[in-house]
Amino acid sequence: EVGEPFKEEKAVAKYLRFNCPTKSTNMMGHRVDYFIASKAVDCLLDSKWAKAKKGEEALFTTRESVVDYCNRLLKKQFFHRALKVMKMKPDKDTKKEKEKGKAESGKEEEKKSKKESGKDEKTKKEKEKEKKKDGDKDECKKDDTPGTPKKKETKRKFKLEPHEDQVFLDGNEVYVWIYDPVHFKTFAMGLVLVIAVIAATLFPLWPAEMRVGVYYLSVGAGCFVASILLLAVARCILFLIIWLITGGRHHFWFLPNLTADVGFIDSFRPLYTHEYKGPKADLKKEEKAESKKQQKYDSEEKSDSEKKEEEDGKTEGTRNSGTDGSGGERHSDTDSDRREDDRSQHSSGNGNDFEMITKEELEQQTDEGDCEEEEEEDTERGPSHGKS
């Protein structure tokens, strides 16, 4: 025979109920809360009953003492032991797996019959095992790296059933709560709600000053709600008027977030929003798109021109090397050609085919040309005297 629980046992059970981590699941068609034995033992070892007081011994000193005390609570029906039963897969999946296993076994037998010697089979199997080990090691390394995303752990579904052997054991055993006391917070909230309802029903008995204050508060709250509703209607009317006058080009919203799913302060920010959706806006969008296309086209052309310049530079280098190897018999540019090129550059730089030149500049150019011709003659005479 089991007697009624003592005050101390109720206090321990209440502490365990609110402080031990619990989970909820279905059992026999009812929603229940359950806990694990090892966590309950740890919770009680950290409680005030595990600390010795002056002139008294601690109630919980070891894990065994906690297990014995929990057995007492179990006998007094604070909780009971349950059994985890894993849910099996349906029969269709099991049949498919069996068929796959048979097909794979048949293929393996055919492969074994084709092989000539048993030694080759052993060596191949050893190699495959080594490869599998290496692959497992690589996968472990990949999983350990911080950048790789971890695979989601698939939780197997299970259901709880009552256990035949009702004993408290320290480990991963599951225990379902029967004891369900009312928490202090819920009790306080219910008490405040009851007092508020009684006070509202006794409103005619309130003092005159309190009744007048409550009246003004209720009127103010009603006016505030009515003003928000009127604002919501007025902003829609204002939007329609502006939209009709401008032919749908201007979209003006006053307090756009007033009816949005935001906070109280954010519903009044921003004050207004304006959007122009006319032909100019479409033209601007088209211009932006065209400018982007032109930029892409210019960049492509630049890359092509750079490639051509590189190819031309390579061909010129090969030509110059050929002319140098022939002993300097051919000269690509003469002094007169260079002068003509300089003049053409001057004229083309200003954007005109012809350029006006003063008399002084012509005289200077002629004097420079005569000096250069005399120098060339001197250079030609020099080697001839050497030969003579």
Side-chain angles (χ1 to χ4, degrees), residues 154-168:
T154 56
K155 293 182 178 179
R156 294 181 66 185
K157 294 182 179 180
F158 64 91
K159 60 181 180 179
L160 295 178
E161 291 182 357
H163 204 283
E164 295 178 357
D165 189 11
Q166 291 295 321
V167 181
F168 190 87

Side-chain angles (χ1 to χ4, degrees), residues 283-299:
L283 289 171
K284 287 179 180 178
K285 289 179 181 178
E286 290 177 358
E287 287 176 358
K288 286 180 181 179
E290 287 178 358
S291 62
K292 288 180 180 179
K293 288 180 181 179
Q294 286 178 358
Q295 287 176 359
K296 289 180 181 178
Y297 183 70
D298 293 336
S299 63

Side-chain angles (χ1 to χ4, degrees), residues 51-69:
K51 297 175 183 178
K53 295 180 181 179
K54 292 181 180 179
E56 295 181 2
E57 293 182 357
L59 185 62
F60 305 124
T61 55
T62 59
R63 296 183 75 89
E64 293 175 357
S65 62
V66 176
V67 170
D68 294 335
Y69 198 89

Side-chain angles (χ1 to χ4, degrees), residues 355-366:
E355 188 178 3
M356 298 298 292
I357 301 171
T358 59
K359 290 181 181 181
E360 294 176 355
E361 289 176 353
L362 283 169
E363 289 176 356
Q364 288 177 0
Q365 289 179 1
T366 52

Side-chain angles (χ1 to χ4, degrees), residues 120-131:
D120 296 333
E121 291 177 1
K122 289 180 181 178
T123 54
K124 286 180 180 179
K125 285 181 181 178
E126 289 176 356
K127 288 180 181 178
E128 287 177 358
K129 287 180 181 178
E130 289 177 357
K131 287 180 181 178

Side-chain angles (χ1 to χ4, degrees), residues 342-361:
D342 294 333
R343 290 174 185 173
S344 64
Q345 285 177 0
H346 284 296
S347 61
S348 62
N350 294 319
N352 300 321
D353 294 331
F354 300 98
E355 188 178 3
M356 298 298 292
I357 301 171
T358 59
K359 290 181 181 181
E360 294 176 355
E361 289 176 353

